[in-house]
Tab-separated table of all heavy atoms in Angstrom:
chain	number	residue	atom	x	y	z
A	511	THR	N	0.856	-1.204	-0.085
A	511	THR	CA	-0.004	-0.068	0.057
A	511	THR	C	0.883	1.279	0.072
A	511	THR	O	1.827	1.478	0.779
A	511	THR	CB	-0.893	0.000	1.220
A	511	THR	OG1	-1.809	-1.099	1.135
A	511	THR	CG2	-1.716	1.228	1.258
A	512	LEU	N	0.606	2.201	-0.950
A	512	LEU	CA	1.294	3.451	-0.837
A	512	LEU	C	0.307	4.566	-0.343
A	512	LEU	O	-0.819	4.343	-0.405
A	512	LEU	CB	1.652	3.832	-2.330
A	512	LEU	CG	2.563	2.908	-3.122
A	512	LEU	CD1	2.890	3.385	-4.512
A	512	LEU	CD2	3.865	2.671	-2.318
A	513	ALA	N	1.032	5.469	0.333
A	513	ALA	CA	0.239	6.491	0.952
A	513	ALA	C	0.843	7.912	0.844
A	513	ALA	O	2.034	8.045	0.587
A	513	ALA	CB	0.203	6.174	2.457
A	514	TRP	N	-0.034	8.986	0.790
A	514	TRP	CA	0.418	10.289	0.626
A	514	TRP	C	-0.655	11.178	1.333
A	514	TRP	O	-1.669	10.637	1.659
A	514	TRP	CB	0.583	10.724	-0.786
A	514	TRP	CG	-0.658	10.499	-1.679
A	514	TRP	CD1	-1.632	11.483	-1.966
A	514	TRP	CD2	-1.243	9.442	-2.333
A	514	TRP	NE1	-2.637	11.127	-2.714
A	514	TRP	CE2	-2.429	9.749	-2.926
A	514	TRP	CE3	-0.709	8.065	-2.445
A	514	TRP	CZ2	-3.248	8.905	-3.736
A	514	TRP	CZ3	-1.619	7.103	-3.320
A	514	TRP	CH2	-2.681	7.532	-3.817
A	515	LYS	N	-0.213	12.458	1.589
A	515	LYS	CA	-1.209	13.334	2.286
A	515	LYS	C	-2.291	13.696	1.258
A	515	LYS	O	-2.186	14.048	0.173
A	515	LYS	CB	-0.260	14.497	2.860
A	515	LYS	CG	0.548	14.212	3.960
A	515	LYS	CD	1.293	15.403	4.433
A	515	LYS	CE	2.319	14.926	5.649
A	515	LYS	NZ	2.943	16.250	6.191
A	516	THR	N	-3.525	13.948	2.004
A	516	THR	CA	-4.650	14.452	1.195
A	516	THR	C	-4.316	15.864	0.696
A	516	THR	O	-3.709	16.566	1.378
A	516	THR	CB	-5.785	14.568	2.188
A	516	THR	OG1	-6.184	13.274	2.732
A	516	THR	CG2	-7.025	15.091	1.506
A	517	GLY	N	-4.706	16.014	-0.526
A	517	GLY	CA	-4.554	17.309	-1.169
A	517	GLY	C	-3.186	17.499	-2.058
A	517	GLY	O	-3.046	18.414	-2.664
A	518	ASP	N	-2.461	16.337	-1.927
A	518	ASP	CA	-1.191	16.398	-2.720
A	518	ASP	C	-1.537	15.929	-4.199
A	518	ASP	O	-1.539	14.792	-4.553
A	518	ASP	CB	-0.068	15.490	-2.186
A	518	ASP	CG	1.224	15.698	-2.740
A	518	ASP	OD1	1.375	16.089	-3.986
A	518	ASP	OD2	2.240	15.491	-2.050
A	519	ASN	N	-1.884	16.890	-5.004
A	519	ASN	CA	-2.350	16.544	-6.421
A	519	ASN	C	-1.296	15.837	-7.257
A	519	ASN	O	-1.642	15.031	-8.103
A	519	ASN	CB	-2.910	17.868	-7.028
A	519	ASN	CG	-4.101	18.464	-6.394
A	519	ASN	OD1	-4.914	17.774	-5.780
A	519	ASN	ND2	-4.122	19.691	-6.426
A	520	GLU	N	0.004	16.228	-6.998
A	520	GLU	CA	1.022	15.602	-7.849
A	520	GLU	C	1.046	14.089	-7.598
A	520	GLU	O	1.244	13.355	-8.541
A	520	GLU	CB	2.332	16.249	-7.491
A	520	GLU	CG	3.463	15.882	-8.498
A	520	GLU	CD	4.595	16.730	-8.496
A	520	GLU	OE1	4.792	17.583	-7.518
A	520	GLU	OE2	5.558	16.568	-9.366
A	521	MET	N	0.910	13.663	-6.234
A	521	MET	CA	0.871	12.352	-6.041
A	521	MET	C	-0.367	11.643	-6.686
A	521	MET	O	-0.265	10.450	-7.152
A	521	MET	CB	0.848	12.043	-4.601
A	521	MET	CG	2.142	12.405	-3.681
A	521	MET	SD	3.512	11.764	-4.406
A	521	MET	CE	4.253	13.047	-5.311
A	522	GLU	N	-1.478	12.278	-6.619
A	522	GLU	CA	-2.661	11.729	-7.348
A	522	GLU	C	-2.390	11.486	-8.775
A	522	GLU	O	-2.677	10.422	-9.332
A	522	GLU	CB	-3.902	12.775	-7.243
A	522	GLU	CG	-4.180	13.126	-5.724
A	522	GLU	CD	-5.304	12.138	-5.183
A	522	GLU	OE1	-5.569	11.139	-5.887
A	522	GLU	OE2	-5.733	12.276	-4.118
A	523	GLN	N	-1.804	12.440	-9.467
A	523	GLN	CA	-1.371	12.305	-10.839
A	523	GLN	C	-0.402	11.246	-11.092
A	523	GLN	O	-0.510	10.439	-12.203
A	523	GLN	CB	-0.966	13.526	-11.478
A	523	GLN	CG	-1.961	14.761	-11.403
A	523	GLN	CD	-1.423	16.026	-11.739
A	523	GLN	OE1	-0.178	16.125	-12.103
A	523	GLN	NE2	-2.203	17.191	-11.666
A	524	MET	N	0.565	10.957	-10.162
A	524	MET	CA	1.523	9.994	-10.387
A	524	MET	C	0.962	8.586	-10.420
A	524	MET	O	1.479	7.716	-10.968
A	524	MET	CB	2.605	10.069	-9.242
A	524	MET	CG	3.684	11.020	-9.632
A	524	MET	SD	4.899	11.192	-8.292
A	524	MET	CE	5.594	9.492	-8.353
A	525	MET	N	-0.147	8.451	-9.701
A	525	MET	CA	-0.791	7.122	-9.594
A	525	MET	C	-1.244	6.599	-11.002
A	525	MET	O	-1.583	5.468	-11.136
A	525	MET	CB	-1.991	7.068	-8.588
A	525	MET	CG	-1.593	7.362	-7.254
A	525	MET	SD	-0.451	6.048	-6.530
A	525	MET	CE	1.101	7.002	-6.324
A	526	ASN	N	-1.269	7.589	-12.001
A	526	ASN	CA	-1.777	7.124	-13.287
A	526	ASN	C	-0.628	7.061	-14.279
A	526	ASN	O	-0.867	6.898	-15.477
A	526	ASN	CB	-2.753	8.178	-13.788
A	526	ASN	CG	-4.023	8.336	-13.036
A	526	ASN	OD1	-4.576	7.303	-12.587
A	526	ASN	ND2	-4.443	9.533	-12.594
A	527	THR	N	0.619	7.307	-13.753
A	527	THR	CA	1.720	7.243	-14.698
A	527	THR	C	2.764	6.164	-14.278
A	527	THR	O	3.925	6.223	-14.554
A	527	THR	CB	2.397	8.548	-14.657
A	527	THR	OG1	3.003	8.907	-13.300
A	527	THR	CG2	1.578	9.746	-14.999
A	528	PHE	N	2.204	4.938	-13.805
A	528	PHE	CA	3.107	4.093	-13.379
A	528	PHE	C	3.413	2.820	-14.300
A	528	PHE	O	2.557	2.749	-15.402
A	528	PHE	CB	2.506	3.305	-11.914
A	528	PHE	CG	1.344	2.484	-12.348
A	528	PHE	CD1	1.367	1.106	-12.601
A	528	PHE	CD2	0.001	3.072	-12.222
A	528	PHE	CE1	0.268	0.407	-12.839
A	528	PHE	CE2	-1.046	2.316	-12.484
A	528	PHE	CZ	-1.082	0.995	-12.836
A	529	SER	N	4.478	2.093	-14.266
A	529	SER	CA	4.589	0.954	-15.005
A	529	SER	C	5.180	-0.123	-14.174
A	529	SER	O	5.772	0.137	-13.116
A	529	SER	CB	5.603	1.178	-16.091
A	529	SER	OG	6.861	1.553	-15.666
A	530	SER	N	4.985	-1.420	-14.492
A	530	SER	CA	5.383	-2.451	-13.689
A	530	SER	C	5.611	-3.830	-14.481
A	530	SER	O	4.788	-4.088	-15.303
A	530	SER	CB	4.385	-2.901	-12.571
A	530	SER	OG	4.676	-4.006	-11.913
A	531	ASN	N	6.781	-4.357	-14.418
A	531	ASN	CA	7.115	-5.596	-15.107
A	531	ASN	C	6.581	-6.777	-14.290
A	531	ASN	O	6.650	-7.858	-14.683
A	531	ASN	CB	8.616	-5.686	-15.324
A	531	ASN	CG	9.158	-4.718	-16.270
A	531	ASN	OD1	8.553	-4.442	-17.299
A	531	ASN	ND2	10.420	-4.262	-15.970
A	532	PHE	N	5.967	-6.456	-13.060
A	532	PHE	CA	5.460	-7.565	-12.230
A	532	PHE	C	3.924	-7.530	-12.154
A	532	PHE	O	3.322	-8.094	-11.204
A	532	PHE	CB	6.056	-7.435	-10.724
A	532	PHE	CG	7.457	-7.924	-10.823
A	532	PHE	CD1	8.564	-7.208	-11.424
A	532	PHE	CD2	7.823	-9.191	-10.268
A	532	PHE	CE1	9.897	-7.759	-11.265
A	532	PHE	CE2	9.080	-9.736	-10.189
A	532	PHE	CZ	10.079	-8.887	-10.686
A	533	ALA	N	3.425	-6.791	-13.150
A	533	ALA	CA	1.898	-6.749	-13.310
A	533	ALA	C	1.291	-6.208	-12.027
A	533	ALA	O	0.004	-6.476	-11.790
A	533	ALA	CB	1.339	-8.130	-13.603
A	534	LEU	N	1.959	-5.354	-11.216
A	534	LEU	CA	1.291	-4.730	-10.235
A	534	LEU	C	0.386	-3.713	-10.634
A	534	LEU	O	0.718	-2.869	-11.514
A	534	LEU	CB	2.405	-4.060	-9.309
A	534	LEU	CG	2.968	-4.839	-8.121
A	534	LEU	CD1	4.293	-4.245	-7.546
A	534	LEU	CD2	2.073	-5.021	-7.076
A	535	SER	N	-0.779	-3.571	-10.091
A	535	SER	CA	-1.707	-2.463	-10.392
A	535	SER	C	-2.686	-2.151	-9.238
A	535	SER	O	-2.708	-2.911	-8.323
A	535	SER	CB	-2.622	-3.007	-11.600
A	535	SER	OG	-3.328	-4.165	-11.337
A	536	PRO	N	-3.326	-1.009	-9.368
A	536	PRO	CA	-4.035	-0.547	-8.172
A	536	PRO	C	-5.285	-1.551	-7.989
A	536	PRO	O	-5.865	-2.059	-8.871
A	536	PRO	CB	-4.602	0.796	-8.635
A	536	PRO	CG	-3.603	1.248	-9.577
A	536	PRO	CD	-3.174	0.071	-10.392
A	537	GLN	N	-5.604	-1.803	-6.708
A	537	GLN	CA	-6.732	-2.734	-6.369
A	537	GLN	C	-7.838	-1.694	-5.679
A	537	GLN	O	-7.619	-1.249	-4.512
A	537	GLN	CB	-6.260	-3.767	-5.421
A	537	GLN	CG	-7.578	-4.704	-5.087
A	537	GLN	CD	-7.040	-5.786	-4.275
A	537	GLN	OE1	-6.381	-5.681	-3.198
A	537	GLN	NE2	-7.468	-6.982	-4.583
A	538	GLY	N	-8.845	-1.537	-6.409
A	538	GLY	CA	-9.789	-0.547	-5.769
A	538	GLY	C	-9.489	0.772	-5.873
A	538	GLY	O	-8.407	1.197	-6.395
A	539	ASN	N	-10.305	1.689	-5.404
A	539	ASN	CA	-10.053	3.230	-5.379
A	539	ASN	C	-9.172	3.578	-4.260
A	539	ASN	O	-9.200	2.920	-3.192
A	539	ASN	CB	-11.432	4.013	-5.544
A	539	ASN	CG	-12.151	3.610	-6.760
A	539	ASN	OD1	-11.562	3.612	-7.868
A	539	ASN	ND2	-13.480	3.558	-6.644
A	540	PRO	N	-8.564	4.755	-4.359
A	540	PRO	CA	-7.763	5.223	-3.148
A	540	PRO	C	-8.858	5.559	-2.018
A	540	PRO	O	-9.943	5.891	-2.271
A	540	PRO	CB	-7.222	6.641	-3.680
A	540	PRO	CG	-7.099	6.439	-5.113
A	540	PRO	CD	-8.370	5.585	-5.543
A	541	VAL	N	-8.383	5.378	-0.760
A	541	VAL	CA	-9.151	5.493	0.358
A	541	VAL	C	-8.622	6.566	1.234
A	541	VAL	O	-7.409	6.540	1.623
A	541	VAL	CB	-9.354	4.267	1.130
A	541	VAL	CG1	-10.097	4.484	2.499
A	541	VAL	CG2	-10.016	3.112	0.399
A	542	GLU	N	-9.351	7.554	1.785
A	542	GLU	CA	-8.737	8.616	2.592
A	542	GLU	C	-9.265	8.466	3.960
A	542	GLU	O	-10.538	8.259	4.301
A	542	GLU	CB	-9.310	10.082	1.948
A	542	GLU	CG	-8.909	11.212	2.822
A	542	GLU	CD	-9.447	12.524	2.291
A	542	GLU	OE1	-9.949	12.483	1.232
A	542	GLU	OE2	-9.324	13.515	3.050
A	543	ILE	N	-8.211	8.457	4.886
A	543	ILE	CA	-8.607	8.390	6.326
A	543	ILE	C	-7.660	9.332	7.079
A	543	ILE	O	-6.453	9.191	6.930
A	543	ILE	CB	-8.328	6.848	6.948
A	543	ILE	CG1	-9.273	5.893	6.192
A	543	ILE	CG2	-8.410	6.806	8.198
A	543	ILE	CD1	-9.008	4.475	6.428
A	544	ASP	N	-8.251	10.151	7.853
A	544	ASP	CA	-7.633	11.167	8.848
A	544	ASP	C	-6.382	11.827	8.002
A	544	ASP	O	-5.243	12.024	8.550
A	544	ASP	CB	-6.920	10.390	9.916
A	544	ASP	CG	-8.062	9.825	10.776
A	544	ASP	OD1	-9.042	10.276	10.870
A	544	ASP	OD2	-7.805	8.743	11.374
A	545	GLY	N	-6.700	12.426	6.810
A	545	GLY	CA	-5.726	13.222	6.079
A	545	GLY	C	-4.702	12.483	5.315
A	545	GLY	O	-3.879	12.984	4.755
A	546	ILE	N	-4.854	11.150	5.268
A	546	ILE	CA	-3.893	10.311	4.487
A	546	ILE	C	-4.709	9.466	3.380
A	546	ILE	O	-5.732	8.909	3.772
A	546	ILE	CB	-3.181	9.296	5.383
A	546	ILE	CG1	-2.352	10.096	6.463
A	546	ILE	CG2	-2.194	8.462	4.473
A	546	ILE	CD1	-1.194	11.060	5.992
A	547	VAL	N	-4.232	9.458	2.144
A	547	VAL	CA	-4.709	8.703	1.076
A	547	VAL	C	-3.963	7.456	0.983
A	547	VAL	O	-2.760	7.437	0.970
A	547	VAL	CB	-4.764	9.455	-0.134
A	547	VAL	CG1	-5.505	8.728	-1.357
A	547	VAL	CG2	-5.510	10.815	0.039
A	548	TYR	N	-4.700	6.314	0.818
A	548	TYR	CA	-4.080	4.963	0.706
A	548	TYR	C	-4.387	4.384	-0.602
A	548	TYR	O	-5.621	4.383	-0.919
A	548	TYR	CB	-4.561	4.018	1.863
A	548	TYR	CG	-4.131	4.509	3.165
A	548	TYR	CD1	-5.049	5.215	3.939
A	548	TYR	CD2	-2.881	4.208	3.833
A	548	TYR	CE1	-4.722	5.667	5.382
A	548	TYR	CE2	-2.411	4.695	5.087
A	548	TYR	CZ	-3.414	5.443	5.872
A	548	TYR	OH	-3.019	5.753	7.072
A	549	GLN	N	-3.510	3.758	-1.333
A	549	GLN	CA	-3.786	2.983	-2.520
A	549	GLN	C	-3.070	1.640	-2.548
A	549	GLN	O	-1.833	1.598	-2.471
A	549	GLN	CB	-3.338	3.839	-3.721
A	549	GLN	CG	-3.522	3.045	-5.058
A	549	GLN	CD	-4.964	2.828	-5.357
A	549	GLN	OE1	-5.812	3.697	-5.646
A	549	GLN	NE2	-5.438	1.517	-5.174
A	550	VAL	N	-3.833	0.621	-2.536
A	550	VAL	CA	-3.277	-0.786	-2.501
A	550	VAL	C	-2.869	-1.184	-4.003
A	550	VAL	O	-3.609	-0.872	-4.913
A	550	VAL	CB	-4.321	-1.646	-2.159
A	550	VAL	CG1	-3.747	-3.148	-2.042
A	550	VAL	CG2	-4.767	-1.401	-0.638
A	551	PHE	N	-1.724	-1.696	-4.120
A	551	PHE	CA	-1.226	-2.325	-5.381
A	551	PHE	C	-1.001	-3.784	-5.138
A	551	PHE	O	-0.466	-4.244	-4.230
A	551	PHE	CB	0.091	-1.892	-5.845
A	551	PHE	CG	-0.078	-0.251	-6.439
A	551	PHE	CD1	-0.169	0.812	-5.758
A	551	PHE	CD2	0.004	-0.231	-7.805
A	551	PHE	CE1	-0.301	2.002	-6.266
A	551	PHE	CE2	-0.112	0.958	-8.380
A	551	PHE	CZ	-0.280	2.123	-7.630
C-alpha cells in the first residue's frame, strides 16, 4: 500500500503514470482516512 497526504495533487497524478514488469496494479479506489490517502497495489 502506498500513502500520501490528502490534497497532494502531484501524487494523485503519479498514480496514473506507473509501469510494472510484475503486473502490479491498483486494487480498488484510493481511500482517505484522517488526512492520508491509501492506494493498494
Side-chain angles (χ1 to χ4, degrees):
T511 295
L512 299 182
W514 61 94
K515 292 182 179 180
T516 301
D518 193 331
N519 295 328
E520 191 166 8
M521 294 303 100
E522 299 273 2
Q523 294 173 3
M524 279 181 57
M525 294 301 108
N526 298 317
T527 62
F528 69 90
S529 60
S530 174
N531 292 326
F532 283 76
L534 274 166
S535 60
Q537 184 180 47
N539 295 320
V541 176
E542 181 181 348
I543 299 177
D544 296 330
I546 302 296
V547 181
Y548 299 93
Q549 177 64 70
V550 178
F551 282 79

